């Protein structure tokens, strides 16, 4: 499959000058979306805000497309993935999403799939699906909160304890995108992560997007409570601020952090997540048009901006080659293998 990506001179310069020597030859991407636009079943989907992002260029996010994107953006790398469906707002075809991710992920025996779940699913139901499809864990999302509030909900509002208990009993992963405006800095989120990880030690948590700390302040506040939790890991997906990534490395330990791309489609879009005040937002050609005479104004891929941030954090901390290889591959590979062993 030919992906809808074309490298510009700016992209090539960034890869050649900054990233080619930084990204190891083997990569395990723990945050990838495989989906079809058809799985979003809202009657007004063609006029929704989702359409431009997910319903046009990237309406079919297949394994072949992910392979093709990686071959262009990270040439010469061997890439394996932990993948899961895109969490469309209700109404979402959960059954179709989970069957599709299963079929696509089976194309690479070293990769793995997570099941998209919602609070209305029973423990027996998800256990049957895990056994049937070989899921390595679960992908909950705040859109599915039982409270109906996707912003202020707590972890157990969209990942209830009866599902966490299944993960605990079977040694499965939970890919957690935290809610609340302060993300991991929110006291309830901190309390819940600590309490739930201790109550269900068999469950293995991955806190996505540096525990949703797109700027340094959130993880700086929370790290002292999180460091040392033996069943909690973190991914770097789509975080473009080197200060945030460095704060995560320092706060919880480099050995708990893994690379993720947030593709498809975020990593292959042109733009960057920017932090300001106690907030962050996505800057892209579609929401900010400018022409600068004093410098090169062309944007590169979000994935490249994230990798540049990781590289700068690595350099400031003086990480070794072995630590970098762990970040990009070995930690994830060991975690996936531990889940498979049960």
């Amino acid at each position: 499959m030919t992906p809808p990506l074309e490298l510009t001179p700016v992209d090539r310069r960034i890869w050649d000058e900054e990233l080619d020597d930084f990204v190891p030859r083997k990569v395990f991407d723990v945050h990838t979306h495989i989906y079809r636009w058809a799985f979003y079943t809202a009657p007004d989907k063609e006029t929704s805000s989702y359409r431009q992002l997910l319903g046009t260029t990237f309406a079919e996010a297949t394994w072949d497309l992910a392979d093709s994107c990686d071959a262009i953006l990270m040439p010469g790398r061997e890439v394996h993935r932990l993948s899961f469906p895109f969490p469309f707002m209700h109404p979402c075809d959960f059954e179709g999403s989970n069957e599709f991710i299963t079929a696509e992920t089976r194309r690479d025996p070293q990769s793995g799939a997570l099941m998209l779940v919602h609070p209305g699913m029973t423990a027996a139901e998800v256990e049957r699906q895990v056994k049937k499809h070989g899921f390595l864990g679960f992908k909950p999302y705040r859109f599915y909160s039982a409270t109906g509030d996707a912003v202020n909900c707590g972890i157990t509002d969209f990942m209830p304890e009866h599902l966490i208990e299944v993960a605990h009993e079977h040694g499965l992963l939970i890919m957690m995108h935290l809610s609340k405006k302060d993300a991991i800095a929110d006291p309830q989120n901190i309390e819940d992560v600590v309490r739930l990880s201790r109550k269900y030690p068999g469950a293995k948590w991955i806190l996505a997007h540096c525990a949703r700390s797109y700027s340094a302040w959130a993880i700086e506040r929370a790290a002292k409570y999180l460091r040392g939790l033996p069943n909690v890991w973190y991914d770097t997906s789509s975080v473009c601020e080197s200060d945030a990534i460095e704060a995560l490395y320092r706060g919880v330990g480099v050995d708990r952090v893994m690379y993720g791309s947030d593709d498809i489609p975020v990593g292959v879009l042109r733009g960057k997540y920017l932090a300001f005040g106690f907030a962050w937002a996505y800057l892209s050609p579609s929401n900010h048009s400018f022409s600068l005479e004093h410098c090169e104004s062309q944007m590169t891929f979000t994935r490249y901006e994230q990798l540049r941030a990781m590289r700068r954090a690595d350099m400031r901390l003086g990480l070794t080659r072995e630590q970098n290889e762990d970040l990009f591959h070995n930690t994830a590979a060991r975690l996936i293998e531990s889940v498979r062993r049960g």
Side-chain angles (χ1 to χ4, degrees), residues 137-202:
F138 305 125
K139 171 58 181 176
Y141 201 67
R142 58 191 181 89
F143 286 166
Y144 311 133
S145 169
T147 67
D149 184 347
V151 176
N152 300 303
C153 53
I155 290 174
T156 55
D157 291 327
F158 57 100
M159 186 61 188
E161 291 196 45
H162 69 273
L163 298 186
I164 300 173
E165 187 169 4
V166 175
H168 162 70
E169 291 175 351
H170 297 279
L172 301 176
L173 299 165
I174 300 172
M175 177 63 71
M176 174 55 57
H177 179 117
L178 293 166
S179 58
K180 300 183 179 293
K181 291 185 177 180
D182 283 351
I184 192 55
D186 184 273
Q188 183 186 345
N189 277 341
I190 294 172
E191 179 182 343
D192 284 348
V193 169
V194 173
R195 177 181 65 84
L196 294 169
S197 66
R198 290 174 174 168
K199 183 177 180 181
Y200 302 101

Side-chain angles (χ1 to χ4, degrees), residues 76-233:
R77 271 57 180 179
E78 175 187 334
V79 181
H80 306 287
R81 305 180 187 94
L82 180 63
S83 299
F84 37 92
F86 192 89
F88 292 109
M89 292 186 205
H90 280 309
C92 171
D93 181 353
F94 284 84
E95 182 178 359
S97 294
N98 287 324
E99 289 186 356
F100 184 67
I101 191 70
T102 301
E104 292 292 294
T105 306
R106 281 177 178 161
R107 302 178 65 174
D108 176 17
Q110 295 187 55
S111 293
L114 301 181
M115 177 183 177
L116 187 66
V117 296
H118 64 76
M121 294 177 174
T122 66
E125 178 183 359
V126 298
E127 280 187 311
R128 284 195 300 270
Q129 294 301 311
V130 167
K131 292 177 182 178
K132 177 181 178 181
H133 295 299
F135 289 119
L136 300 183
F138 305 125
K139 171 58 181 176
Y141 201 67
R142 58 191 181 89
F143 286 166
Y144 311 133
S145 169
T147 67
D149 184 347
V151 176
N152 300 303
C153 53
I155 290 174
T156 55
D157 291 327
F158 57 100
M159 186 61 188
E161 291 196 45
H162 69 273
L163 298 186
I164 300 173
E165 187 169 4
V166 175
H168 162 70
E169 291 175 351
H170 297 279
L172 301 176
L173 299 165
I174 300 172
M175 177 63 71
M176 174 55 57
H177 179 117
L178 293 166
S179 58
K180 300 183 179 293
K181 291 185 177 180
D182 283 351
I184 192 55
D186 184 273
Q188 183 186 345
N189 277 341
I190 294 172
E191 179 182 343
D192 284 348
V193 169
V194 173
R195 177 181 65 84
L196 294 169
S197 66
R198 290 174 174 168
K199 183 177 180 181
Y200 302 101
K204 299 173 173 66
W205 300 78
I206 302 175
L207 304 187
H209 316 299
C210 297
R212 200 162 155 259
S213 187
Y214 280 84
S215 56
W217 64 271
I219 192 63
E220 286 173 344
R221 289 185 183 180
K224 64 182 179 181
Y225 304 102
L226 305 174
R227 190 178 184 97
L229 295 176
N231 55 336
V232 179
W233 288 261

Side-chain angles (χ1 to χ4, degrees), residues 43-78:
D44 61 345
K45 62 186 286 183
E46 298 306 326
T47 58
S48 71
S49 58
Y50 266 154
R51 186 179 182 279
Q52 184 61 35
L53 177 65
L54 301 165
T56 55
T57 306
F58 299 105
E60 290 279 326
T62 63
W63 202 260
D64 279 345
L65 179 60
D67 281 344
S68 298
C69 290
D70 282 334
I72 291 174
L73 296 186
M74 302 169 105
R77 271 57 180 179
E78 175 187 334

